[in-house]
Amino acid sequence: MIEVAQRAGVSTATVSRVLAGPPEMVRPETREKVLRAVAETGYLPNRLARNLRERAARIFAVVVSDIGNPFFTALVRSCEDAARERGYSVLVADTDEKVDQEAQRLLDVAAEGVAGIILASTGRQNEGLEQVVRSWIPVVAVDRRVATASFDTVATDGRAGAREGIEALLEAGHQRIALIGGPEEISTMTERRVGYEEALRGHDIEPEPDLIRFGDLKEESGRAAALELLDLATPPTAIFTASNLIAIGAVKALRERRLRLPDDLSLVCFDDVIGGELIGPGIAAVVQPTYEMGTAAAELLIRRLEDPEAAVEERVLPTALLRRGSIGPPPDGSSRRPG
Amino acid sequence: MIEVAQRAGVSTATVSRVLAGPPEMVRPETREKVLRAVAETGYLPNRLARNLRERAARIFAVVVSDIGNPFFTALVRSCEDAARERGYSVLVADTDEKVDQEAQRLLDVAAEGVAGIILASTGRQNEGLEQVVRSWIPVVAVDRRVATASFDTVATDGRAGAREGIEALLEAGHQRIALIGGPEEISTMTERRVGYEEALRGHDIEPEPDLIRFGDLKEESGRAAALELLDLATPPTAIFTASNLIAIGAVKALRERRLRLPDDLSLVCFDDVIGGELIGPGIAAVVQPTYEMGTAAAELLIRRLEDPEAAVEERVLPTALLRRGSIGPPPDGSSRRPG
DNA sequence: TTGAAAGCGCTAACAG
DNA sequence: CTGTTAGCGCTTTCAA
C-alpha cells in the first residue's frame, strides 16, 4: 500500500480513501492517479488487516442443522449467491440439530469475527446465542423462529402450508391422516402440526395422538415412525410428513410392507424431495421458495448491518402445494366415518 | 489481553505464549496463573488480530461447481466436519462450472486470507488458480484432477468404476450402451469415458460416437441427451450416466417416452442419487466414498500446512457398484449382434 | 523463563 | 481535499 502511495505521490490514507471510502471523498484526478498506481503495482488490499481494523470480517456465517439436507443446501446456496453479490463470503457450520453444538458453533463463528449470522436454530435457548447477542453480532433467523429473542426472521407459512396439504388429503376422502414430524422444539414443526390439526378440526375430525409422531429430521426416523403407524390396529390411510427426508423414510417403510402409493396409502410431504416426481407415482409436496428464503435472509442481514437501529422485520413467504400421484382416495373398506 | 496480563502479573507476551505457543514454553506455575486470569476475565482471544499477524485465517475454502449438487454437498459436509475438528472453519464458494467464475472465486477466497483451498476444478487453466499458486496458498484438488499444476489430490478411480458399471450392463446382455457425460474438460468425465470405452472394447464392441453425449452436469442436460438417444434410429438398450443429476434427467426422459426401467431400457449411474433406490425399480449406481473424500482432502490440506515441503500426495479411493433394479436384460428384438 | 517493543496492513480522527 | 498519526490485538524477535 505504501508502494502504491509513493507511486501516486499521495499518502496511504488517500489510497485507502480511494479504495474503501465513499466515492467522492477524494478529488477525481487524485483518484485517477491512485487507481493507476494500483493497476501498475497489481496491489491487492489485505483484508486481514481491514478485518482487524473494522473488527469484523466480510463474512456471513450460515448455521444450520445439516447441510446434507437438501433444504439447507439450497438455502446455503442462495445465501452464498446473495452474499457474494454484496461482497460477503459465506462460512458454513452444522449443528447436527443439537443445542450444545449450536451453542458451540455460534461461539466459534462469532470468535471468527463474522459480520453476521444466518441461523436455522434448534429452537432451544443456549449460551452461544446469548453470547452472540451480547456481542452485538446481528443474527437473522431463517426457516425457524427463535423464541428467546426478537430477530429479523425469514420463514414460510407452515401453518397454511400444512393446512393446504391436509385439505388435499381430506378432499380425496381421507379421515385417518397421520403426521410424522421432527423435533417438537423446532418452530416449523410446531406450526406444521398446528396447521395439520386446524385442517382436521375444520372437518370435524379430532386429531388422534396415536397418529402423531415426532422423531428427528432424518430418513431413518421417518421410516421407523411410518412402520409404527402401519402396525397400528387401525392404520392411517394417509400420511403427512413435516419434512422431506422423513418422507423418503416413509416411502421405504411402505416398500417394506409392500404397500403402494397411492392405492394403499396416500402421502404428502412438507418441502420437496430431489427427484420427488420420480419416486413411485410422484410424492405430493408442500413446496417452499427455498431460494428466495436464502436471498431474503442475506438481504435482511445486510440491511441490519447498514442500519442497526432498523425495526425488526419478519418476512413470511408462501408455500405451494404440488399435487402429485401420491394423493389418491383411501382404499376400499378403510374406516370411513359416517357423515 | 492486557487485562489478563495485569491480573496474572505477567506481560501480554506471556499470555500469548500460554494460549497459542507450544505447551512447555512457559513455566507451569506461570501458566496456571495466566489460565486462571483468563477464566476469571472470560477473555476471548481476537482471531482477527491473530489472522493479521499470521497472515492467514484459520479457514479453509471449499470451491466447487455447485453445492446444490448432492455430491458436493456431502463433500462440503465432510470437509467441514474434518476441518472443524482441527480448528478450522469452512468457507464455501460456487463456480457454477464456469472457468471465469472459478478464477474469480479463487481470487476472492485467496484475498479473504484463507489458510488453504479445497478445489473441485472445472479443469481449465485460469488466472485465479495461478495467482493462488503464486501466493503460496496450499490447494488440494478433490474429485477432479488439475492438469496445470501438481497438487495434493483426492479422487476416486473413475475408470475402474465406469468399467464395473458397464461390465454389469454387458453381463446383462447389452451391446448398445450409451454414455451421457458432463463437460469433457473435467477429469472425472474423461476418466469415466475411458473406463466405458475400455469395458466395451474388452468385449469387442467398438464405442459408437453416436452413443456418446456430453452436456453439463445438470438434470436438464441429462434429459435432453437421453431424449436424443431414444430418438436414434437404433436406440441404445442401456444408458450409463457419468453423474448423478444426469441420471435423474434421463429417468425423466424415459417417463416422457413411456419407457420403463429395466424392461425397456437399463440404466446405471456414476455416483448415487438421493432416494435412488426409490426411483422406479431403483437406480443402479457406482457409488463413491463421498464422506471419506472430504475428510481426506481436509487431512491432506492440514498436512501440507504443517509441512509445505512434503511430497505431493495423491489418494485414489475405490468405488463400488450398487446393483439395483434398473439393470435388466435388453428387451427382446433389440439388435443383438451376432457373436 | 519472561518482558519490552516492534510490527502485521489497514482505517479514521484530526489537522491543515 | 489530503497528510499525519494513532491505533485495532495479537505474535515474535531480541534482551535480560
Side-chain angles (χ1 to χ4, degrees):
Chain A
M1 189 168 189
I2 293 176
E3 191 188 338
V4 174
Q6 288 174 339
R7 202 161 184 127
V10 298
S11 73
T12 61
T14 301
V15 175
S16 171
R17 281 192 274 256
V18 169
L19 264 24
E24 287 2 348
M25 199 179 178
V26 84
R27 189 148 43 94
E29 39 179 320
T30 319
R31 191 186 171 70
E32 265 317 308
K33 280 194 302 193
V34 173
L35 257 17
R36 188 159 32 240
V38 166
E40 284 169 14
T41 56
Y43 163 74
L44 265 165
N46 180 323
R47 296 200 205 170
L48 263 16
R50 184 191 56 189
N51 292 348
L52 174 58
R53 240 338 275 237
E54 313 264 81
R55 306 167 122 62
R58 298 262 170 100
I59 297 178
F60 292 156
V62 177
V63 181
V64 298
S65 61
D66 176 19
I67 12 170
N69 184 317
F71 171 73
F72 290 121
T73 302
L75 207 61
V76 169
R77 171 74 212 232
S78 55
C79 285
E80 210 252 324
D81 288 352
R84 190 74 63 188
E85 213 161 88
R86 309 305 209 82
Y88 286 82
S89 294
V90 164
L91 202 72
V92 295
D94 287 291
T95 67
D96 231 3
E97 211 71 79
K98 305 202 181 84
V99 222
D100 295 356
Q101 279 212 38
E102 172 171 323
Q104 195 51 58
R105 289 300 84 80
L106 252 13
L107 255 21
D108 288 347
V109 300
E112 205 62 67
V114 302
I117 299 174
I118 292 174
L119 170 69
S121 170
T122 60
R124 279 161 290 169
Q125 187 187 26
N126 66 75
E127 180 53 35
L129 188 51
E130 283 168 20
Q131 177 91 260
V132 164
V133 171
R134 243 181 279 127
S135 60
W136 298 103
I137 299 176
V139 174
V140 169
V142 69
D143 185 41
R144 306 149 172 208
R145 279 164 233 278
V146 175
T148 55
S150 75
F151 298 114
D152 294 308
T153 300
V154 177
T156 48
D157 192 341
R159 246 170 86 183
R163 253 189 339 246
E164 196 181 355
I166 300 300
E167 289 289 353
L169 255 8
L170 289 165
E171 278 165 27
H174 294 272
Q175 303 264 3
R176 291 184 62 75
I177 303 172
L179 168 73
I180 308 181
E184 285 195 73
E185 304 81 21
I186 302 174
S187 68
T188 49
M189 294 299 128
T190 313
E191 287 169 20
R192 292 169 200 179
R193 177 202 189 138
V194 170
Y196 159 86
E197 292 175 341
E198 283 175 352
L200 290 185
R201 292 213 171 95
H203 286 242
D204 294 322
I205 300 175
E206 187 55 27
E208 281 183 39
D210 236 24
L211 295 183
I212 301 178
R213 309 275 161 155
F214 289 103
D216 62 41
L217 292 173
K218 307 218 190 86
E219 197 179 299
E220 180 45 33
S221 169
R223 177 177 157 273
L227 287 176
E228 283 176 28
L229 288 167
L230 296 174
D231 287 343
L232 247 31
T234 322
T237 62
I239 294 180
F240 179 78
T241 65
S243 179
N244 51 4
L245 265 23
I246 294 179
I248 303 244
V251 173
K252 288 195 176 167
L254 294 181
R255 296 273 168 110
E256 286 175 45
R257 291 284 187 267
R258 311 211 168 285
L259 296 174
R260 288 185 326 176
L261 289 171
D263 306 335
D264 302 309
L265 193 118
S266 288
L267 178 66
V268 175
C269 168
F270 200 110
D271 196 25
D272 204 4
V273 171
I274 295 186
E277 56 208 299
L278 301 180
I279 296 177
I283 307 294
V286 176
V287 299
Q288 309 182 75
T290 336
Y291 199 87
E292 286 68 27
M293 292 176 75
T295 48
E299 270 171 29
L300 287 188
L301 195 44
I302 283 162
R303 195 194 55 126
R304 172 73 42 205
L305 249 16
E306 285 169 351
D307 177 9
E309 305 303 320
V312 170
E313 186 171 339
E314 176 160 327
R315 290 200 199 164
V316 178
L317 274 31
T319 59
L321 175 65
L322 226 59
R323 290 169 189 275
R324 291 201 278 228
S326 66
I327 301 181
D332 296 338
S334 74
S335 66
R336 191 179 293 198
R337 293 198 205 166
Chain B
M1 188 167 189
I2 294 177
E3 191 188 337
V4 174
Q6 287 173 340
R7 201 160 185 129
V10 299
S11 73
T12 60
T14 302
V15 175
S16 171
R17 282 192 272 254
V18 170
L19 264 25
E24 286 3 346
M25 199 178 177
V26 84
R27 189 149 41 94
E29 38 179 322
T30 319
R31 190 187 171 70
E32 266 316 308
K33 280 194 302 192
V34 172
L35 258 17
R36 189 160 30 242
V38 167
E40 284 169 14
T41 56
Y43 163 75
L44 265 165
N46 179 322
R47 296 200 206 170
L48 263 16
R50 184 191 56 190
N51 292 348
L52 174 57
R53 245 332 280 238
E54 313 263 81
R55 303 170 126 65
R58 297 263 170 100
I59 297 179
F60 291 157
V62 177
V63 181
V64 298
S65 61
D66 177 18
I67 12 169
N69 184 317
F71 171 74
F72 290 120
T73 302
L75 206 61
V76 169
R77 170 74 212 232
S78 56
C79 285
E80 210 254 325
D81 288 351
R84 189 75 63 187
E85 213 161 89
R86 310 304 210 82
Y88 286 82
S89 294
V90 164
L91 201 73
V92 295
D94 288 290
T95 67
D96 232 2
E97 212 71 79
K98 306 202 180 86
V99 221
D100 295 355
Q101 279 211 40
E102 172 171 323
Q104 195 51 56
R105 289 299 83 81
L106 250 15
L107 256 19
D108 287 348
V109 301
E112 205 63 67
V114 301
I117 299 174
I118 292 174
L119 170 70
S121 170
T122 59
R124 279 161 289 168
Q125 187 186 27
N126 66 76
E127 180 52 35
L129 188 52
E130 283 169 21
Q131 178 90 258
V132 163
V133 171
R134 244 180 278 128
S135 59
W136 297 104
I137 299 176
V139 174
V140 170
V142 70
D143 184 42
R144 304 149 173 210
R145 280 165 232 278
V146 175
T148 56
S150 75
F151 298 114
D152 294 309
T153 301
V154 178
T156 48
D157 192 341
R159 246 170 86 182
R163 252 185 345 241
E164 197 181 355
I166 300 300
E167 290 288 354
L169 255 8
L170 289 165
E171 278 165 27
H174 295 271
Q175 302 265 7
R176 291 184 62 74
I177 303 173
L179 167 73
I180 308 182
E184 286 195 73
E185 303 84 21
I186 303 174
S187 69
T188 50
M189 294 299 129
T190 313
E191 286 169 21
R192 293 170 198 176
R193 177 201 189 138
V194 170
Y196 159 87
E197 292 174 342
E198 283 174 352
L200 290 184
R201 293 211 171 95
H203 286 241
D204 294 323
I205 299 175
E206 186 55 27
E208 281 183 40
D210 235 23
L211 293 184
I212 301 178
R213 309 275 160 155
F214 289 102
D216 62 43
L217 292 172
K218 308 220 190 85
E219 198 180 299
E220 180 45 33
S221 169
R223 177 177 158 273
L227 287 176
E228 283 175 27
L229 289 166
L230 296 174
D231 287 343
L232 247 32
T234 323
T237 62
I239 294 179
F240 179 77
T241 65
S243 179
N244 53 5
L245 265 22
I246 294 179
I248 303 245
V251 174
K252 288 196 177 167
L254 294 182
R255 296 273 166 110
E256 286 175 45
R257 291 282 188 269
R258 312 211 166 284
L259 296 173
R260 288 185 327 175
L261 291 171
D263 306 335
D264 302 309
L265 194 117
S266 288
L267 179 66
V268 175
C269 168
F270 200 109
D271 196 26
D272 204 4
V273 171
I274 296 186
E277 56 209 298
L278 303 179
I279 296 178
I283 307 294
V286 176
V287 299
Q288 309 181 76
T290 336
Y291 200 87
E292 286 67 28
M293 292 176 76
T295 47
E299 269 171 30
L300 287 189
L301 195 44
I302 283 162
R303 194 193 56 125
R304 171 74 40 205
L305 250 15
E306 286 169 352
D307 177 10
E309 305 304 319
V312 170
E313 187 172 339
E314 175 159 327
R315 289 200 199 163
V316 177
L317 273 31
T319 60
L321 176 64
L322 225 59
R323 290 169 190 274
R324 290 202 279 228
S326 65
I327 302 181
D332 296 337
S334 75
S335 66
R336 190 180 294 198
R337 294 197 204 168

